[in-house]
Amino acid sequence: MESNRQRKVAQIIQEDFAELFRKQAAESKQSILVTVSDVKVTADLGIAKIYLSIFPQEHRQAIMKEIEENKALYRNFIGQKMAKQVRVIPNLNFYLDTSLDDVEKLERELRGEGDNPIL
């Protein structure tokens, strides 16, 4: 079970990255949406698993690659934000969250736009 401390650290990370990605999207002038859908922090606060939703889908690979390449910068960024709250800055692991794809696919199917074999 998650401790309050884990939840608090996860929430800080989620809010700070949500803001960072919003700013980056605004500055890039591209219509790419990067959403922090969830953050899980290990019990020792050593690792933060950050789940991202990226739309449109065709940009996912490139964005994930870019985030992976800039992981040290992101850790530095979060380190500055969290310096007062934690002694050790967690290592960051970024994952692509595709759960919204399933919702989108389901909605398409329900509208009759999918490749439903029954129809």
Side-chain angles (χ1 to χ4, degrees), residues 62-87:
I63 301 270
M64 287 304 285
K65 185 172 184 279
E66 193 178 311
I67 287 171
E68 217 37 59
E69 287 167 358
N70 291 305
K71 220 150 86 161
L73 289 173
Y74 287 129
R75 189 161 181 247
N76 194 3
F77 159 80
I78 209 71
Q80 291 170 354
K81 294 278 193 182
M82 298 178 70
K84 306 268 187 294
Q85 288 103 339
V86 294
R87 280 194 299 276

Side-chain angles (χ1 to χ4, degrees), residues 7-76:
R7 274 196 296 275
K8 190 170 182 185
V9 169
Q11 188 182 357
I12 293 166
I13 292 172
Q14 186 165 4
E15 288 169 2
D16 287 339
F17 274 115
E19 190 174 327
L20 177 71
F21 291 135
R22 249 197 321 273
K23 279 187 184 147
Q24 285 181 343
E27 288 164 10
S28 79
K29 306 269 190 292
Q30 289 179 300
S31 54
I32 296 173
L33 181 65
V34 179
T35 311
V36 184
S37 57
D38 197 13
V39 176
K40 297 278 183 224
V41 180
T42 54
D44 64 359
L45 306 181
I47 299 171
K49 297 177 179 179
I50 302 163
Y51 296 88
L52 305 174
S53 290
I54 301 170
F55 288 96
Q57 295 179 5
E58 59 267 20
H59 294 293
R60 284 183 182 163
Q61 245 68 40
I63 301 270
M64 287 304 285
K65 185 172 184 279
E66 193 178 311
I67 287 171
E68 217 37 59
E69 287 167 358
N70 291 305
K71 220 150 86 161
L73 289 173
Y74 287 129
R75 189 161 181 247
N76 194 3

Side-chain angles (χ1 to χ4, degrees), residues 37 52-53 55 60 96-105:
S37 57
L52 305 174
S53 290
F55 288 96
R60 284 183 182 163
L96 189 58
D97 179 1
T98 56
S99 60
L100 286 175
D101 295 355
D102 302 335
V103 172
E104 197 179 319
K105 184 172 186 256

